[in-house]
Amino acid sequence: MKQIKSRQPAGDGSAYGRRKQHPDRLLTEVGPGTPMGELLRRYWQPVGVSSEVRDLPKKVRILGEDLILFRDRQGRAGLLYPRCMHRGTSLHYGKVEEQGIRCCYHGWLFDVEGNCLDMPCEPGGGRRRELARQPWYPVQERYGLVFAYMGPPAKRPVLPRYDNLEIVEEGYELWSYMGGLGGTGDFSMEVLPYSWLHMNDNVMDPWHVHVLHSTLTGPQFAAEFELIPKVKFFETENGICYSAVRDLEDNRIVDRVSSWILPNIMSVPDIQLKPGQSGMISWAVPVDDSHFTQAIAMKMPAGVQFEGLRLGGKTWGEMSEEEHQRTPGDYEAQAGQGPISLHSEEHMVSSDRGITMQRRMLKKQIKIMQQGGDPAGLIFDPDAAKVNVRSGNFFQDSAPSRRHA
Ligand code: FES
Ligand SMILES: [Fe+2]
């Protein structure tokens, strides 16, 4: 990554003969055994929406691994390696039963922890079946999502509880979603065709809210985003926050605090500046190096269907290519960076400070993990599982004595 201040203009700036560029692979590669992939595996990751996990097995691809997600007839969710340990048929075609999932080919039955309970073609149902184990991952459900722990079993942390989602006020309910552009109200895409890091960078980038979502295209969110904020970034015990303070015309100021929580979690305050703590958490879950999916858990007024953002009255999928060009949003900006951005040709400047801090923090956690330590933000004590989410739109009087420092 180049710092722009040290870069000398070369020649006449011709594009001819430019050097081959590359992504920052330490951050973008997520498969098993890669440093970032191993770091992400230390934290619980969303793999599905609880209400969509039923008796029909579902293919899930996450962190470069293909898996099968299902719910047995006792109501337990299970996440198994798809190739049946007998002779490799996919459990995607398995039959879900009371005790687990039965492979369609010769009927081996596996419970949600991969234990083989039956080999119907073998004498006695398989006398040594207890020695057979289909590879599996532990799952837990919370906030309407199914979370998996895909890391080393001895290092399994507790599934965190986020204080902004723990209490759902009367008249509200949790909306849970996993897919592509759902946050924008478009449900046509299951997976986004670019690196999870593009989304991860986006959350600690308050300046794009001012340009992309406001002054360049007209207001996409609240009109107040047109005002240039005073921005501060700060490290927390488990990530980075920014505070973006705007002086409003009605003698008030609004401090918009946004959080990024290790390693791929974000809590963005309401984009229409609804006051108070943010009622949402989302995860940029890598599918593989060049695809990701977004999981969202968000408080919504009960009975109200999530509509999301419409530009010119249209959902993302209803817009023409010309409309996408004339009114680009997050998708265009992030997909426009390519399947995996070329970080070696970036020119990071002072307004990218939040992203620089995030990437540095991720690399530090990789080092800690490689040296045998526990990365920040992992919780091992079930009594300390509560995470304080600082995000929100906080308004106050702009009288000088009460102004935000
Ligand atoms: S391949 Fe699954 S039981 Fe034979
Ligand atoms: Fe954005």
Side-chain angles (χ1 to χ4, degrees):
M1 182 197 319
K2 292 184 190 80
Q3 296 293 325
I4 199 164
K5 62 184 177 213
S6 64
R7 190 166 186 266
Q8 299 297 321
D12 62 0
S14 164
Y16 175 78
R18 65 197 183 281
R19 284 222 296 262
K20 197 164 158 32
Q21 304 291 346
H22 56 82
D24 187 341
R25 296 191 177 89
L26 185 60
L27 296 178
T28 56
E29 292 182 354
V30 297
T34 61
M36 191 65 215
E38 290 303 303
L39 183 71
L40 288 158
R41 281 168 173 78
R42 294 296 179 95
Y43 301 78
W44 288 87
Q45 298 291 342
V47 292
V49 175
S50 289
S51 60
E52 293 170 5
V53 181
R54 297 193 287 259
D55 64 353
L56 196 62
K58 203 173 153 53
K59 286 183 185 174
V60 165
R61 183 164 166 76
I62 175 167
L63 300 174
E65 294 188 48
D66 290 304
L67 301 163
I68 292 291
L69 182 61
F70 67 98
R71 187 182 299 285
D72 70 16
R73 294 199 184 274
Q74 296 173 55
R76 300 176 304 185
L79 186 65
L80 301 181
Y81 173 68
R83 293 178 57 80
C84 173
M85 64 177 297
H86 176 219
R87 278 175 36 214
T89 287
S90 175
L91 294 176
H92 183 56
Y93 300 102
K95 189 166 177 225
V96 167
E97 301 183 356
E98 182 78 10
Q99 299 294 332
I101 187 167
R102 193 180 287 279
C103 177
C104 69
Y105 210 178
H106 314 95
W108 289 26
L109 174 67
F110 305 105
D111 72 9
V112 294
E113 296 193 347
N115 296 298
C116 184
L117 307 178
D118 190 21
M119 298 175 175
C121 307
E122 289 296 290
R127 294 211 175 86
R128 291 164 65 78
R129 63 178 179 258
E130 66 280 359
L131 299 179
R133 195 105 188 235
Q134 181 70 14
W136 69 291
Y137 287 123
V139 296
Q140 277 190 48
E141 297 184 68
R142 187 165 296 158
Y143 311 133
L145 295 169
V146 183
F147 293 84
Y149 174 70
M150 298 169 65
K155 298 278 187 183
R156 190 205 302 189
V158 296
L159 179 62
R161 293 183 175 278
Y162 299 98
D163 68 352
N164 63 334
L165 297 181
E166 282 296 298
I167 297 168
V168 180
E169 294 80 6
E170 207 175 324
Y172 282 79
E173 60 192 10
L174 270 185
W175 175 67
S176 313
Y177 167 80
M178 209 161 162
L181 287 165
T184 69
D186 187 293
F187 300 99
S188 60
M189 253 189 236
E190 280 192 17
V191 161
L192 290 155
Y194 52 90
S195 163
W196 75 283
L197 197 68
H198 303 191
M199 180 69 220
N200 202 64
D201 287 349
N202 179 276
V203 73
M204 278 298 109
D205 183 0
W207 300 103
H208 93 276
V209 179
H210 170 67
V211 177
L212 178 71
H213 298 306
S214 184
T215 54
L216 186 87
T217 54
Q220 296 184 359
F221 304 158
E224 289 84 345
F225 290 131
E226 202 184 338
L227 302 166
I228 295 213
K230 292 185 199 79
V231 177
K232 279 186 185 167
F233 295 97
F234 51 96
E235 268 192 32
T236 66
E237 65 289 352
N238 58 10
I240 314 276
C241 286
Y242 74 69
S243 143
V245 176
R246 289 178 169 87
D247 286 291
L248 305 178
E249 281 173 2
D250 59 359
N251 291 329
R252 290 188 308 161
I253 61 171
V254 57
D255 184 3
R256 189 163 193 269
V257 180
S258 220
S259 309
W260 169 73
I261 301 172
L262 277 162
N264 58 337
I265 305 170
M266 47 213 70
S267 177
V268 176
D270 185 78
I271 55 173
Q272 299 303 341
L273 285 182
K274 184 179 152 216
Q277 190 185 25
S278 166
M280 71 87 78
I281 299 268
S282 101
W283 292 256
V285 186
V287 167
D288 53 31
D289 296 353
S290 54
H291 297 83
F292 79 104
T293 181
Q294 233 179 330
I296 302 174
M298 182 162 97
K299 287 184 209 173
M300 287 281 298
V304 173
Q305 191 82 22
F306 181 80
E307 280 240 314
L309 179 74
R310 282 170 186 261
L311 296 178
K314 294 181 179 179
T315 66
W316 186 88
E318 289 165 354
M319 291 167 71
S320 67
E321 181 56 16
E322 180 174 341
E323 286 167 326
H324 288 304
Q325 285 182 272
R326 296 203 186 277
T327 319
D330 276 319
Y331 178 86
E332 286 71 28
Q334 293 175 36
Q337 293 173 303
I340 310 176
S341 195
L342 300 173
H343 302 103
S344 61
E345 67 182 6
E346 286 181 334
H347 294 83
M348 302 296 273
V349 289
S350 64
S351 47
D352 297 310
R353 183 167 147 67
I355 296 161
T356 311
M357 288 170 76
Q358 268 178 307
R359 293 184 187 172
R360 195 183 303 135
M361 191 179 255
L362 283 168
K363 288 180 180 175
K364 184 174 164 192
Q365 305 318 310
I366 288 174
K367 200 167 267 176
I368 290 171
M369 174 189 70
Q370 290 173 334
Q371 290 168 349
D374 293 319
L378 292 175
I379 303 166
F380 296 95
D381 174 4
D383 295 331
K386 188 83 77 77
V387 174
N388 171 230
V389 177
R390 294 170 172 80
S391 305
N393 296 310
F394 304 108
F395 288 81
Q396 54 183 288
D397 200 325
S398 66
S401 60
R402 297 177 56 192
R403 284 181 79 125
H404 181 91

